[in-house]
Every structure is written in structure tokens, then in C-alpha cells.
Amino acid sequence: MSSTESLEPALHELDQLQAQAAQAFESATTADAVEVARIEYLGQKQGRLKAAQERLKTLEPAVKRAYGQRFNGVKQALEIAFDAARSRVERRTTAAGGIDVTLPGVAPRLGHRHPLTQTADELIDIFGRFGFAVARGPEVEDVRHNFDALNIPPVHPARDPLDNFYLSEGTMLRSQTSTIQIRVMESQPPPVRVIAMGRVYRPDTVDATHSFMFHQVEGLMVDKGVTMADLKTVLRLFARSYLGEDVQIRFRPSFFPFTEPSVEVDMLWHGGDRWVEMGGAGMVDPNVFKAVGYEPEQVTGFAFGLGIERLCMRRHGIDDIRLLYQNDVRFLDQF
Ligand code: FA5
């Protein structure tokens, strides 16, 4: 074998080594990857540069010099490539305030709507299909909308300071969404077909089905010839849509100052062993129509107010209303 023959392949391998090492250092984006490349190419024991140096000993004296010169060039290029890679990943790390931005990211935990929000949205959907639009009203109310216009006179026990959250002489946190019936009728002539929902506040003692803050959905339909049969049909259809075809509801005679006649609506609780009150309802009292400037001889109407928490609890088999307010993700994750 002549000296030129053995030199050419050896030089070619040196060129390849340089190209591969450059590629490895350039594509390393983390400190760990740079270290892996360093060990492979510049490692003192088994690095590929070391192996190329060992090869020098096996070459004939005539070609040693040429090989040695090329080897020195490759060695220098590899050291420069390594230094560049190392300072590049270090810069990235410190630029991000000590955080290694080259590490895979932490995927954000995706949340979802609270079960009460889901319930509210579904109620809007169902009543929307029955032709009910959505109305809104303020949580801080005046006593006219919470009581007077609803035919609840100043001496009525429902106005007792111990049963309400008064903010001042004439204002309070609304105790029912029936306030919005008044606001809607004040702002438009009949016919009316709306639902309204939101938070209401009462200093009730907290237990499994009572809270001092809860949500109600109010319904109001006013037109010529609206009857109690319409009320019962709408509530039955609603209960079946939201709670399932097999749900049982019952109507009990009751009293509200703003409806006449009035009923209480109960649903058979999950487990089927007891009835739980879902809401109150009735035919709008003529005095309410008078208070908002409607003509009681011309129109009739029905109204209802249902507890959203209890509907949500019945639907999902939740036993305690307090679970809905604790924001424990182990609970909320289930819906
Ligand atoms: C009312 O609030 C009437 N405004 C309903 C009404 C509207 C009658 C229109 C006639 C016409 P009641 O106080 O019964 O009624 O409350 C209605 C529903 O709200 C109850 O059936 C229950 O489902 C829910 N509810 C009442 N108090 C609480 C409470 N402390 N915690 C959770 N839900 C409650």
C-alpha cells in the first residue's frame, strides 16, 4: 500500500468527523444534549477525536505530517463548535431568568364550566325552545321591586329585617328573582314571555338544601287568555326536559302575595324516598298588573321561581348544596 493511498481515506474520515460533530453541536438545544455530543466527539477516553488521534500512530512516517496537520484543524473546529453550543444553551437559560426554556412545557390544566353555570345555560336553552327570552336585573334592589310592586305591603312578615339583607333604608340584596318580573313589565307592554336568573340572598340557616346565597330562575308569561293549565304544562315539560322523562313533580296549593292562585312545585328526590320543593308559582295577581300599569281586565299571566341549585342537585344526584360552593376540583371534575 502506498503512502498516498492510505492518506486519502484517513483524511476523508477526518473531514467526515468534523462535519458530523459540527452537526451534532449545532442541533443540540439543551445543556444535556451538548454534553452528550461532547462525550461522543471530545471525550478523553472513547471520544471519536481521541480515536482519530490514535490512528496517527498507525500511519507511515511519510503521511503522518499531513494527517497531523489536518487533525489539528479538525480538533480546533470541534472545540470551537462545542464552545459555541455551550454558550448558546447557557444564554437561553439565563435569558429566561434561570428557567430552561428548552425543556418541554407544562401543559395548562383545562377547566370547564361550574355545574351551576352548566345548569343555568341549559335552562336558558330549554326555555328558549319554549319561546322564552332572557331578561336581567340587579342584585342590589330597591324595596319597590323586591316588595311593594309585588303586592307585599310594608307590614308583611317577609319584609322583616331578620329575614333580609338590607343595605340601607330602601335598598337590599334581592331576596328573589321576582323583582325582574316587575322590571320587565315596567319596560314593555304585553305580551311577555321571559325567564330571568341570578343570585338571591336570604339569611337562611345553612343545611343540605339551604344556603344564604343561591340562584333562582324566574319565568313570566303574560298574554290574552293565559291559564293555569299553561303554567302546569310549561313546568311539566321543563322538568321532563331537564330532569328526564321519568321525573315526578307535584303541585301543592300555596300562597304568594304576587300570585293568585299560588302553588308550590315539588320534585321526587333522587332515591325516590322524599319530595323536595323545586319552586313557587301561580297566576299573576291583578294588583301586580296594576302596579306596573298593565290592564288586569285585558291580560292574564303566570309566573314561577325555581331554585337552580336544587335542580342541579336533583339532576346530578348531589346530596349537599354546600358542595356547590366549596370549589373542590375533586368534586367539580365530575361534571
Ligand atoms: C320564591 O322565592 C318566589 N319568588 C317564587 C315565585 C315566583 C312564586 C313567581 C310565584 C311566582 P320560595 O321562597 O319558595 O319562592 O323560593 C323558591 C325556590 O327557591 C324554592 O322552592 C327552592 O328551590 C329555592 N330556595 C329557597 N330558599 C333557598 C335556600 N335558602 N337555599 C337554596 N334554595 C332555596
Side-chain angles (χ1 to χ4, degrees):
M1 195 190 290
S2 84
S3 53
T4 24
E5 270 166 357
S6 59
L7 180 60
E8 280 313 316
L11 291 182
H12 179 65
E13 274 176 38
L14 276 180
D15 290 343
Q16 272 190 329
L17 173 62
Q18 182 174 341
Q20 287 166 0
Q23 161 76 23
F25 284 123
E26 263 167 39
S27 61
T29 52
T30 65
D32 283 350
V34 172
E35 179 62 7
V36 168
R38 186 194 68 77
I39 291 168
E40 178 174 355
Y41 291 98
L42 297 171
Q44 280 306 310
K45 287 194 182 129
Q46 294 181 337
R48 289 175 60 183
L49 191 70
K50 186 78 183 168
Q53 193 179 14
E54 294 298 319
R55 188 169 187 182
L56 189 63
K57 296 181 192 159
T58 68
L59 294 173
E60 292 171 32
V63 298
K64 263 191 182 164
R65 191 179 151 82
Y67 183 89
Q69 270 177 355
R70 184 74 64 91
F71 172 84
N72 283 337
V74 172
K75 183 176 177 210
Q76 211 176 5
L78 260 59
E79 279 164 357
I80 290 170
F82 165 60
D83 279 345
R86 189 175 50 180
S87 56
R88 191 182 65 240
V89 299
E90 269 173 11
R91 250 196 333 272
R92 274 198 209 166
T93 308
T94 41
I99 297 162
D100 186 351
V101 293
T102 62
L103 284 175
V106 180
R109 229 179 113 105
L110 274 190
H112 58 70
R113 288 169 307 150
H114 189 279
L116 284 177
T117 313
Q118 292 179 30
T119 303
D121 288 349
E122 213 166 319
L123 300 188
I124 290 172
D125 219 54
I126 292 170
F127 282 111
R129 278 185 259 137
F130 297 165
F132 285 75
V134 178
R136 284 172 211 292
E139 287 176 31
V140 173
E141 260 297 4
D142 52 55
V143 290
R144 171 177 151 70
H145 290 92
N146 204 91
F147 297 128
D148 298 329
L150 285 164
N151 201 30
I152 305 173
V155 293
H156 197 282
R159 298 174 74 135
D160 194 307
L162 293 177
D163 290 330
N164 295 282
F165 289 113
Y166 284 100
L167 299 173
S168 66
E169 184 75 14
T171 59
M172 59 189 297
L173 295 176
R174 70 180 174 204
S175 64
Q176 51 185 350
T177 45
S178 300
T179 52
I180 309 172
Q181 289 181 36
I182 303 302
R183 290 189 172 273
V184 169
M185 289 191 282
E186 280 174 341
S187 69
Q188 68 160 91
V192 177
R193 204 188 289 192
V194 292
I195 57 162
M197 55 181 72
R199 292 194 188 94
V200 299
Y201 303 83
R202 294 178 193 178
D204 285 352
T205 305
V206 175
D207 64 20
T209 52
H210 291 85
S211 166
F212 49 85
M213 184 283 296
F214 59 100
H215 299 72
Q216 286 186 334
V217 55
E218 191 82 10
L220 174 69
M221 177 167 173
V222 182
D223 206 341
K224 285 190 188 335
V226 175
T227 69
M228 190 90 181
D230 297 318
L231 167 63
K232 292 178 77 173
T233 303
V234 164
L235 286 179
R236 275 195 197 288
L237 281 175
F238 158 70
R240 279 204 214 139
S241 303
Y242 184 64
L243 298 172
E245 286 293 323
D246 56 347
V247 68
Q248 289 189 46
I249 64 168
R250 70 178 184 190
F251 297 91
R252 273 184 295 123
S254 186
F255 175 79
F256 293 101
F258 37 96
T259 47
E260 181 62 35
S262 304
V263 287
E264 214 97 55
V265 193
D266 300 331
M267 51 192 160
L268 194 59
W269 205 232
H270 50 257
D273 54 349
R274 65 188 168 116
W275 293 90
V276 170
E277 193 191 304
M278 173 168 123
M283 300 305 293
V284 180
D285 192 286
N287 283 342
V288 174
F289 283 146
K290 283 183 202 148
V292 296
Y294 277 21
E295 186 47 70
E297 307 303 323
Q298 299 292 318
V299 287
T300 53
F302 68 70
F304 58 82
L306 315 178
I308 294 184
E309 275 79 354
R310 294 195 191 167
L311 289 169
C312 175
M313 290 165 73
R314 169 67 176 74
R315 162 81 171 259
H316 296 294
I318 298 167
D319 283 328
D320 197 318
I321 197 169
R322 288 164 284 205
L323 289 166
L324 290 168
Y325 309 121
Q326 285 163 355
N327 280 340
D328 184 333
V329 284
R330 290 168 300 181
F331 170 75
L332 296 175
D333 261 353
Q334 301 172 66
F335 306 98

